[in-house]
Amino acid sequence: MSVVLILGGYGGFGARLSRRLSIRGHKVLVAGRHVDKAAAFCSTMPNCSPVEADRDGDLAAILAEHRPDLLIDAAGPFQTSGYHVVEACITAGIDYLDLADGRAFVVGIGTLDAAARQAGVVAVSGASSVPALSSAVVRDLATGMEQIMSIEMAISASNRAAAGASVAAAILSYAGKPLTLWRGQRWARAFGWQEMGSERFVLDDGTTLGRRLVALADIPDLDLLPDRLPGKPAVIFRAGTELAVQNATLWLASWLVRWRWIRSLSGLASWLLPLQRRMAGWGSDRSGMVVRLFGLAGGKRVERRWTLIASAGDGPEIPTLAAALLAERIVAKELAPGARDAGPMLALADFEPVFAPMAIRHETRQIAQPAPLYQRVMGDAFARLPDEVRRMHEVLRDGGAQGRATVERGTHPLARLVGALMGFPRAGEHELHVGFREEQGVERWTRTFSGQAFHSNLGEEGDRIVERFGPLRFHFDLPGDEQGLTMIMRHWSIWRIPLPLSLAPRTVAREWAAESRFHFDVPIALPLIGPVIHYRGWLASGVE
């Protein structure tokens, strides 16, 4: 009988994992600061013994006394943790596994690889919903895809799946704080628990959780997945609880950190958990997870979507399943020594036997995506464009390009005012990045000139492109051929109220290819005022 010591073994996820391994016939040492709680827990299950242990204390004596075959850290939080537990295991020659979802912690576990190999120790981090399960799903969806542009994931927990102290501490540690996302083919800054949106969790037979609010969460996949898939796709992960009021309140509070009014929300943990317990009777016992890949499969633009819905309170079991599967492999000596993350270690098929007895259903769909915006507007002429121009407009969910630009600004006082109101860049030579974000047929272009960005949204009305800057709408024809394309303004409006074309900005933007690059020239002038801005340059797709 193998012996497994579980730090935090009577906590929210630790208790579930302890029961699962005990039922499988392992002797489980349930460890934590409160030995009376560990003893009370062990009285309810076989093959279980309580152990008093402080995760943040000296574990050497405990490891020497009990000599477990495997230590599993289910305590956390890992967002602010060092590797002292892992190092103690390596020193003692004991294999290690954790349920970490802390981004830096999981990504950095490889720094201990040489020491773990030398000691003959297996050390695996991230055996949880992320990155172990999420990565398994992504690899399954990616099979047969030639190119992946974007990966989008979301998890929504049932309100009755009460979060433990470590989960609350993890979320509060990064809410409102800067985090980096790979999108637009570069690393970009975002903020924890912001960019809130709604996610729909639904199966083909109509089983649904409806729409639930989710917001940006800082997880290891944001670092791990871009480099593990062809084309270095964008990766976004959002999370949330079932109740909109909880998500919205945390979103509002995150602004206090973003605006630097307070350093962190971590101090709110003491009242957050009691409040959550008082609201535990609200909502349902159903949780959900969605993973989406956007890209090319068989030359066609597709979304591949995996959806999971857990009912009957089985959602909180999911974060423990990867740990249980990998624990079996570690004690069976099926894994080579070394320190690494759990992302590549399991396949989606490995989870099927453990999903089956529970109220968990999941399925995969492939959804055809529409032709690119410019192709829909231009029709057959789109195919005649130079390759560099056409590729720049084949946006599917996410894209980006880098280059250089020269900016000239008008000198008239009103031209300067208009330029300032629109957020146009200053005059001079600039490094340029253009990020593309496509959703429901609308493209959002973010043009960043030497760190200064301005945005516009592009959609279609009939056979014209419509570019929106706030309430202003500009309608363009797009004549194009083998030489490139031109944007010719035909109509403009404010709040959809038509304005005289004689008062419209004067602009004829051009795009063409030269020296294997996409080139552009965009002059904008106003009647009676004269030039407002003129920017021109080149862009090339690629990664930084």
Side-chain angles (χ1 to χ4, degrees):
M1 178 186 294
S2 60
V3 178
V4 180
L5 188 151
I6 303 180
L7 294 175
Y10 54 81
F13 296 135
R16 291 176 169 86
L17 181 58
S18 295
R19 292 190 187 98
R20 189 169 292 277
L21 293 178
S22 173
I23 292 170
R24 294 285 297 173
H26 301 280
K27 179 175 176 55
V28 178
L29 304 180
V30 173
R33 294 187 181 96
H34 306 287
V35 69
D36 54 334
K37 292 183 180 180
F41 174 77
C42 285
S43 67
T44 66
M45 53 185 274
N47 305 322
C48 180
S49 299
V51 173
E52 185 174 2
D54 186 345
R55 178 181 182 270
D56 297 323
D58 184 3
L59 296 174
I62 294 170
L63 296 177
E65 177 184 355
H66 296 282
R67 294 303 304 172
D69 299 289
L70 171 66
L71 180 146
I72 302 178
D73 191 347
F78 296 90
Q79 279 74 8
T80 57
S81 178
Y83 293 113
H84 54 281
V85 178
V86 195
E87 291 166 342
C89 288
I90 292 174
T91 300
I94 292 171
D95 292 333
Y96 168 91
L97 180 68
D98 67 44
L99 280 68
D101 62 358
R103 181 175 178 176
F105 187 94
V106 176
V107 173
I109 193 70
T111 60
L112 300 176
D113 185 56
R117 288 176 183 271
Q118 185 175 3
V121 167
V122 176
V124 177
S125 186
S128 192
S129 301
V130 294
L133 173 57
S134 54
S135 294
V137 173
V138 166
R139 286 195 305 278
D140 187 78
L141 294 176
T143 302
M145 295 184 71
E146 301 96 57
Q147 186 176 359
I148 303 167
M149 286 79 163
S150 182
I151 301 170
E152 300 176 15
M153 299 178 281
I155 290 178
S156 176
S158 111
N159 187 54
R160 297 180 190 173
S166 62
V167 174
I171 295 171
L172 294 174
S173 71
Y174 62 74
K177 292 187 177 181
L179 58 88
T180 55
L181 299 176
W182 180 260
R183 58 183 175 187
Q185 289 295 292
R186 70 169 183 172
W187 289 108
R189 190 170 76 153
F191 293 87
W193 218 263
Q194 300 213 329
E195 297 188 27
M196 181 168 285
S198 64
E199 183 64 62
R200 188 166 179 250
F201 300 83
V202 60
L203 302 177
D204 279 344
D205 66 359
T207 302
T208 181
L209 303 181
R211 287 195 173 274
R212 293 186 177 182
L213 291 181
V214 287
L216 287 181
D218 200 19
I219 63 164
D221 305 61
L222 301 178
D223 275 325
L224 298 174
L225 289 178
D227 289 327
R228 290 178 175 172
L229 292 165
K232 199 160 186 177
V235 179
I236 294 177
F237 181 90
R238 291 182 171 91
T241 63
E242 177 181 3
L243 299 184
V245 65
Q246 294 175 343
N247 295 296
T249 300
L250 185 55
W251 173 78
L252 287 170
S254 73
W255 285 96
L256 302 179
V257 179
R258 179 171 177 175
W259 290 335
R260 299 183 181 179
W261 291 3
I262 60 176
R263 293 184 60 184
S264 171
L265 296 181
S266 296
L268 303 180
S270 59
W271 63 265
L272 180 64
L273 287 175
L275 179 61
Q276 200 281 335
R277 293 188 187 103
R278 291 189 181 94
M279 302 174 70
W282 302 6
S284 72
D285 59 1
R286 300 197 300 163
S287 304
M289 181 173 178
V290 168
V291 179
R292 298 176 174 183
L293 269 63
F294 295 85
L296 301 180
K300 297 180 179 179
R301 294 160 58 94
V302 301
E303 173 197 343
R304 286 188 176 171
R305 181 189 302 176
W306 178 84
T307 305
L308 175 148
I309 292 180
S311 304
D314 282 341
E317 296 286 342
I318 295 172
T320 71
L321 299 181
L325 291 167
L326 289 173
E328 298 274 5
R329 296 185 183 184
I330 292 173
V331 298
K333 302 301 180 184
E334 295 177 4
L335 299 183
R340 62 269 201 195
D341 70 88
M345 293 187 172
L346 295 169
L348 182 56
D350 294 325
F351 290 88
E352 291 288 358
V354 288
F355 283 161
M358 295 187 286
I360 293 176
R361 297 177 56 204
H362 68 102
E363 64 184 26
T364 299
R365 300 174 59 198
Q366 179 165 297
I367 305 165
Q369 297 297 288
L373 171 62
Y374 274 57
Q375 182 178 349
R376 299 197 303 270
V377 170
M378 296 181 68
D380 293 341
F382 184 78
R384 297 196 295 271
L385 294 173
D387 289 345
E388 294 84 353
V389 176
R390 190 177 64 254
R391 284 197 298 267
M392 197 63 62
H393 293 293
E394 290 177 332
V395 182
L396 176 57
R397 210 62 175 185
D398 186 273
Q402 292 76 230
R404 299 283 301 177
T406 300
V407 176
E408 299 172 5
R409 290 285 296 270
T411 57
H412 192 286
L414 289 179
R416 292 180 179 275
L417 177 61
V418 170
L421 292 174
M422 299 297 291
F424 289 150
R426 66 183 184 277
E429 298 290 327
H430 295 273
E431 292 183 357
L432 173 63
H433 176 271
V434 181
F436 308 101
R437 178 68 183 167
E438 178 269 335
E439 189 169 359
Q440 297 182 342
V442 176
E443 296 178 5
R444 180 172 177 82
W445 289 28
T446 301
R447 307 161 182 87
T448 304
F449 294 79
S450 299
Q452 181 182 356
F454 72 98
H455 318 272
S456 65
N457 293 328
L458 285 83
E460 62 182 310
E461 289 187 16
D463 57 354
R464 287 178 178 165
I465 284 284
V466 179
E467 186 166 17
R468 291 188 290 116
F469 293 87
L472 292 170
R473 291 172 173 258
F474 302 93
H475 298 238
F476 296 93
D477 283 339
L478 294 179
D481 54 24
E482 294 80 1
Q483 303 304 311
L485 69 80
T486 305
M487 298 181 67
I488 301 175
M489 188 187 301
R490 298 302 190 192
H491 176 72
W492 72 312
S493 63
I494 184 168
W495 289 297
R496 294 187 177 272
I497 301 171
L499 297 173
L501 194 59
S502 60
L503 300 179
R506 306 290 191 254
T507 179
V508 178
R510 297 188 303 117
E511 299 176 359
W512 70 97
E515 301 175 341
S516 300
R517 291 172 172 171
F518 169 89
H519 287 254
F520 59 90
D521 188 293
V522 183
I524 301 175
L526 288 172
L528 305 178
I529 294 175
V532 175
I533 190 171
H534 186 179
Y535 59 94
R536 54 188 180 271
W538 60 268
L539 291 167
S541 299
V543 299
E544 294 181 354

